[in-house]
Amino acid sequence: MKAFPKDKLTAVLDTLAKQATLWVPAIVAGVSRFAPYGPGREVQLGANTVMSPKEALFPATEKIYEYSAYGIDGEFTPVDPSVGPQILFGLRSCDMQGILCLDDVFLTRGYVDDYYAKKREEATLVTLGCVTPGPDCFCYAMGVNPAEHAASDAQLFDLGDAYGIVARTAKGEALVSALETAGLLSESDKAPLPTGDFVLKVDAEGITEKLQHMFDHPLWDAFSRKCLNCGACAYICPTCHCFDISDKKRNAHCGIKIKCWDTCMYSEYALMAGGHNPRPSKKERVRQRFMHKLRYFPERYGKLQCTGCGRCIAKCPVNLEITDVIQQVREAKIDG
Amino acid sequence: MSDNMRNNVRDNMGHMNNQLTQEMRDLARELLASGEVKGLFGWTKGSRWYLTPPVFITKPEEADRLCYDEFAVNNLTGLLLDFRDSQDKIAVFVKGCDSRGIVRLVQDNQLKRENIVVIGVPCPGMGDKGAVTDHRQAQELPLLAKCLECRYPNPVLADRTIGAVTVTTEPSAAPSGATAEAAKGRGVGSKEADRFAQVEAIEKMSPDERYAFWQAQNKKCIRCYACRNICPACNCRECIFDSDKKNWVNKAATPTDNAFFGITRAMHVAGRCVECGECERVCPMDIPIMAMNRKLIGDLNELFGPYDAGVKADEKPPLGAFKLDDPEEFM
């Protein structure tokens, strides 16, 4: 396997940063997230980030078009969705799986979201095999292999004192050959370090089928009692993809149409014109969140919409753990 | 502290927690079995040793799920807002800081006092799970900053108490009840004089530095509203940030719009923040929200005299009442 010593990481990143906007897991103002690499960037490859990398492909706030409208004279100027070539470096398998979920939503079933599609097309995804699962990690239970992900363009492996790198696609090969040209790679016969034990255990086998019979189950009341209906879980999640289209007005006549993250946790999310809200209380909103991840998404796209990254577990203010939801759903009795 | 002493402290705390947990369960069972309350908010043991999250129970047999230890950090009082339109009587366990949330909600006419059974618990000071290094093993964790700065370790009001805790509205009273020695030993309240240290540090910055500091924080905010939703003072039925129809604010998570959210929220809870520190604890982006709240608390103390929100139910908040001798510097 081709490899570069860990102490050459900066040289590797410097090389890649010359080719594209390079997103790396880093500490930014005290919070770990993916951020463009540059001078002074505090790279952190040792643990999963608080914020998922989805913001590189699906920004929290994105301009769609500028408009002006004076009487019957209206015009709009689309905003180019391209941001140029990007490399997402050091994604974990859970995050790679999250991007596959976003792909399903934004690129398949008859509608392509240009804003996502363009960024995705321009992105090279470099994943890093996990050695030490965090306390809130459970990707194994969601069918994700923490050691490597087949869908990545290039896969990094922790070899102890070096990172092994294997290209999986043409984009990945271009990236590896750039590192080779820079003289940063050599052959290594070391085996990747194995993935350590998971602390958090859960068995999600059959969860989708079970939930198909639990829309009216009292369990949702119990879960919702402690939920705050904040959006922390959704906004740090690698797969949550809901957005709202609204305006940033300059004045009464012109402004910018924007696309912003939104979440089913918020009371206004399902509010309809006329005032009806089909999800009037926390119970319906909490149910929606878990049903979407564990039932509707698998029904529609054939894969779970939770990748076991554990972020929502780590940051939920009331410790409403999706693993606990799965466990209790498994144990729940269904009447009739 | 030697390993032996540390083990002793842990053993004693474990013993005490078991006793308190037992008292909690007995009282909860009694309240639910007698029909005195329809439901009860407490804490239960989570999936790992450093997690003791909220739980809501409605049946006496569920009382055995209750648990209390130094990780029962959540202030449960905000969860009562789900019952503000209900006539059901609900019980809630409160530590000292949490109890001020009840006063807040009653003063804001969000809850009818007679619909809430407040159960005061002694507080050993809460451990900082952020300091967990080995998630597999029990270990002694440092106290949360808010516990080191605590000025109300005992409940300021309670209908019932457990663990022989005393109810007092006296600021800086010594921790009382079953966990008193542990709380003192762990340093609960030992840094109360440092409560405004961060505010002072920020005030010492040049205007440009201060702007850069807050811009960096505002840039981080993801507008998840965890701070708002856990706060007993943030109890508006309709929040302007839930809708961009008003055109004062929009959903773009830009530093400017985020600053507008943060400042509006801080100003809105000015004079009403009960200093439970939950906003800052739950912020996934580690924004020092309490620094802003404390700045306003300091200013209010300076303008209107010393005032602690949510302590005395019959005392009007300085910004919620008018007095002829109120300062009018802006006139």
Side-chain angles (χ1 to χ4, degrees), chain A residues 4 20 84 137 176 190 215 219 267 307 319-320 325 328:
Chain A
F4 60 88
C137 292
V176 170
K190 282 192 180 157
F215 192 77
L219 211 48
S267 57
T307 72
N319 191 224
L320 180 48
V325 171
Q328 291 201 44

Side-chain angles (χ1 to χ4, degrees), chain A residues 29 31 61 135-136 197 199 226 228-232 235 244 246 248 266 268 282 313-314 317-319 321, chain B residues 47-48 50 53-54 74 82-83 129 135-136 220 222-226 229 242 244 250-251 253 257 281-282 285:
Chain A
V31 173
T61 300
D136 305 306
D197 292 339
V199 186
K226 68 173 177 177
L228 302 175
N229 262 186
C230 76
Y235 286 178
D244 184 36
S246 57
K248 209 166 154 58
Y266 293 165
E268 278 63 24
K282 280 205 268 188
I313 294 180
V318 297
N319 191 224
E321 297 192 1
Chain B
S47 58
R48 275 145 292 162
Y50 53 86
N74 280 72
D82 285 347
F83 290 88
K129 80 168 173 128
H135 43 77
R136 289 168 175 84
K220 282 197 294 186
I222 54 173
R223 299 273 281 279
C224 71
Y225 301 131
N229 290 15
D242 281 339
D244 58 4
N250 61 67
K251 288 192 170 177
D257 291 298
R281 178 184 72 85
V282 303
M285 306 312 282

Side-chain angles (χ1 to χ4, degrees), chain B residues 181-200:
Chain B
E181 288 315 307
K184 284 177 211 159
R186 285 152 57 91
V188 169
S190 59
K191 291 195 173 172
E192 64 162 302
D194 299 342
R195 210 158 52 106
F196 294 102
Q198 196 179 12
V199 174
E200 284 157 15

Side-chain angles (χ1 to χ4, degrees), chain A residues 169-211:
Chain A
T169 65
K171 279 185 196 169
E173 273 161 20
L175 185 142
V176 170
S177 74
L179 295 179
E180 241 172 347
T181 309
L184 291 162
L185 299 185
S186 53
E187 277 300 319
S188 169
D189 53 5
K190 282 192 180 157
L193 297 177
T195 306
D197 292 339
F198 284 83
V199 186
L200 203 53
K201 309 273 187 216
V202 68
D203 180 0
E205 186 68 37
I207 197 73
T208 301
E209 294 71 22
K210 182 80 181 276
L211 282 170

Side-chain angles (χ1 to χ4, degrees), chain A residues 10 21 34 40 101 105 125 162 165 177 181 192 204 206 217 222 231 241 246 250 253 257 266 269 291 308:
Chain A
T10 305
T21 303
F34 281 79
C101 291
V105 173
L125 308 177
I165 184 163
S177 74
T181 309
H217 202 278
H241 52 262
S246 57
R250 288 217 177 89
H253 304 291
K257 257 310 178 211
Y266 293 165
Y269 177 87
M291 280 286 195

